[in-house]
């Protein structure tokens, strides 16, 4: 099954896209979206990229936090990595 997932920068949310037949476009399913603004585990400051692993887990890059976070397909936070020498700004 093909799955399209996008990051909503302004809302700091990650969510699946579903067809919107009335608008002939895609819309984000807020029912299944996850995330919130912040600097803690599983939170985002600027979610800028999303990838889906073969297992269904989601990988999310956060430009401002300089992290790569892993989430289950249901949005449960599984962990994150940061590059060596990462600088954090308040």
């Amino acid at each position: 099954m093909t799955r399209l997932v996008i990051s909503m920068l302004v809302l700091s949310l990650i969510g699946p896209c579903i067809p919107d037949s009335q608008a002939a476009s895609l819309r984000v399913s807020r029912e299944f979206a996850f995330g919130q603004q912040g600097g803690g585990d599983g939170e985002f400051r600027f979610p800028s990229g999303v990838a889906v692993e073969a297992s269904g887990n989601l990988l999310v890059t956060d430009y401002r936090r300089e992290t790569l976070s892993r989430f289950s397909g249901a949005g449960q936070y599984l962990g994150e990595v940061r590059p060596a020498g990462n600088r954090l700004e308040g």
Side-chain angles (χ1 to χ4, degrees):
M1 175 171 91
T2 302
R3 200 167 138 183
L4 177 63
V5 180
I6 66 166
S7 69
M8 295 172 277
L9 299 177
V10 175
L11 301 175
S12 293
L13 291 173
I14 305 298
C17 288
I18 56 176
D20 185 340
S21 58
Q22 293 179 348
S25 63
L26 295 173
R27 66 180 175 82
V28 174
S29 171
R30 301 270 317 234
E31 178 182 353
F32 297 107
F34 64 92
Q36 65 182 22
Q37 178 95 25
D41 291 347
E43 297 178 333
F44 307 111
R45 290 188 59 207
F46 197 92
S48 53
V50 179
V52 180
E53 295 180 306
S55 65
N57 289 337
L58 303 172
L59 301 174
V60 181
T61 58
D62 190 308
Y63 175 78
R64 296 267 186 211
R65 292 188 64 230
E66 298 180 348
T67 57
L68 174 66
S69 299
R70 177 180 271 151
F71 297 86
S72 71
Q76 178 184 5
Y77 176 75
L78 300 175
E80 67 184 32
V81 294
R82 295 173 184 233
N86 175 286
R87 71 181 195 296
L88 292 177
E89 300 173 10

